[in-house]
Amino acid sequence: MLSRAEFYAVRMWTLLFAAWGALYSIVEFRHIGIDIGTNRRVIDVPALLGGTVVRVIRASETLGSVVVLDVGHGLFHSYCHLSKDRLPVRGDWIGPGERVGRLAGGPSTLPMGHVDYPGSAWGGIHLHLVISTHPESAYSKVAGHRTLRAFRDPADTIREVLSAPAANKSRPFVPQTFEVVEEEVEMKIITSSIGQSLAIGSLVVQFGSPEEVEVALSKGLEIQEVHPETHKRMIAESNLRRHDRLPFVLVYGDPSGTVYTFAGDELNPVYDPSTLPVLKQGAYDTVTWSAEEIRLRLAQQEAARS
């Protein structure tokens, strides 16, 4: 089993707290936890903090098996998308770094009774970690726990744990620069010949599935037609803003000249680097991959989403 420092390292983070998603419903459109990717490995999950097991859900429809720890101070850590393999029982004490469970191997089309059923809200092998003040708010709609303020950003706790001397004397992480803002923001659909995106204030999010497009359209949002080059620039600038909290490198080598950001375990295109002064300043580390490496990575990502 990986150590806490290895499992929760920033390079493993694949989806951050408060990220947008059309199908999220506990807090509408918002991701209430952090996703820890494992490069498609089915491995055991170490506890971030020690705590008493207060809930064990063996077959949540959306999240697979879930283990909830009471870690004290009124906080609960929910470990989601686990398999049914050797789950703990209510009342067990799990110490820091000890096994909580094993990640589900999927796919989501497995029957709910299967040991590796991961839940319907699953896009590949990963841990979905939620921190909140209610033991059931990670997997059910609890009154008073339907806004982001009812949840904690797990990244903050991970930083504290991995910065402590007990965690292999890891260096502290760079302070968080992203602030969750919950007031109403203007949302509209941006469309051009390259496709459709959702603009949320200054962020432009590419739709990941036909279902997300349908949900957005059902909200009756304004649709704005833009020039394809404008659309590409908006996506590129938004990609960089959304990566502000993750260290990433710029990937070169695509024969088309497209540059990509690589953070966590995901490759995202920067369509027009010449429009982004920050790239010209050499602010980010760069690597060069072969065209085949880039093609394979993009194909794997697409397969994981489908």
Side-chain angles (χ1 to χ4, degrees):
M1 184 171 71
L2 295 180
S3 68
R4 284 189 302 172
E6 292 169 319
F7 187 91
Y8 294 101
V10 68
R11 68 178 180 276
M12 306 286 267
W13 301 359
T14 55
L15 187 62
L16 299 176
F17 178 75
W20 182 87
L23 304 181
Y24 298 141
S25 60
I26 289 180
V27 175
E28 191 173 33
F29 298 140
R30 293 294 185 171
H31 192 237
I32 60 173
I34 193 170
D35 287 355
I36 308 294
T38 61
N39 292 317
R40 294 171 292 282
R41 293 174 294 169
V42 175
I43 59 177
D44 288 338
V45 176
L48 182 60
L49 291 177
T52 302
V53 178
V54 293
R55 299 286 190 279
V56 179
I57 310 300
R58 296 185 62 83
S60 162
E61 181 179 354
T62 56
L63 296 174
S65 293
V66 179
V67 173
V68 183
L69 302 187
D70 180 347
V71 300
H73 307 289
L75 293 176
F76 300 89
H77 287 195
S78 299
Y79 296 81
C80 311
H81 296 312
L82 301 179
S83 73
K84 298 180 180 65
D85 177 26
R86 295 178 293 136
L87 289 171
V89 298
R90 232 167 144 162
D92 281 353
W93 168 263
I94 297 178
E98 293 182 356
R99 183 184 187 275
V100 176
R102 173 174 70 74
L103 292 175
S108 56
T109 51
L110 288 172
M112 286 182 64
H114 193 284
V115 66
D116 269 308
Y117 176 71
S120 59
W122 184 85
I125 299 166
H126 71 281
L127 171 71
H128 175 58
L129 175 65
V130 178
I131 300 178
S132 68
T133 55
H134 192 285
E136 298 176 359
S137 58
Y139 55 86
S140 60
K141 296 177 180 178
V142 177
H145 289 73
R146 302 297 307 283
T147 69
L148 286 175
R149 290 188 179 89
F151 298 86
R152 304 290 186 271
D153 186 347
D156 295 335
T157 302
I158 293 172
R159 288 185 178 99
E160 290 175 14
V161 169
L162 298 192
S163 297
N168 299 327
K169 298 183 179 179
S170 299
R171 291 181 301 156
F173 287 102
V174 176
Q176 182 175 331
T177 58
F178 176 83
E179 182 179 350
V180 174
V181 179
E182 285 207 65
E183 61 262 20
E184 288 294 320
V185 294
E186 182 184 4
M187 297 173 66
K188 60 187 174 184
I189 294 172
I190 303 295
T191 184
S192 76
S193 60
I194 69 167
Q196 290 179 319
S197 300
L198 183 73
I200 312 168
S202 61
L203 292 182
V204 178
V205 183
Q206 290 176 278
F207 290 118
S209 68
E211 291 82 3
E212 289 183 336
V213 176
E214 286 182 21
V215 170
L217 290 172
S218 72
K219 300 292 180 181
L221 300 178
E222 174 193 348
I223 299 178
Q224 180 181 349
E225 179 86 26
V226 298
H227 190 278
E229 291 307 313
T230 301
H231 195 172
K232 289 178 182 178
R233 186 178 68 250
M234 294 169 73
I235 293 170
E237 291 172 346
S238 184
N239 276 345
L240 286 180
R241 270 197 295 276
R242 286 187 292 124
H243 276 107
D244 276 347
R245 298 173 69 207
L246 283 173
F248 68 92
V249 296
L250 294 171
V251 178
Y252 291 85
D254 192 303
S256 71
T258 300
V259 179
Y260 298 85
T261 59
F262 184 64
D265 197 31
E266 186 161 328
L267 205 59
N268 286 301
V270 177
Y271 287 100
D272 189 356
S274 66
T275 66
L276 303 172
V278 68
L279 298 188
K280 294 180 183 176
Q281 295 166 9
Y284 301 104
D285 292 335
T286 64
V287 295
T288 300
W289 290 1
S290 69
E292 182 65 11
E293 279 183 288
I294 293 172
R295 186 191 67 76
L296 284 174
R297 171 68 65 174
L298 293 174
Q300 289 167 350
Q301 287 179 191
E302 188 62 33
R305 292 185 181 121
S306 61

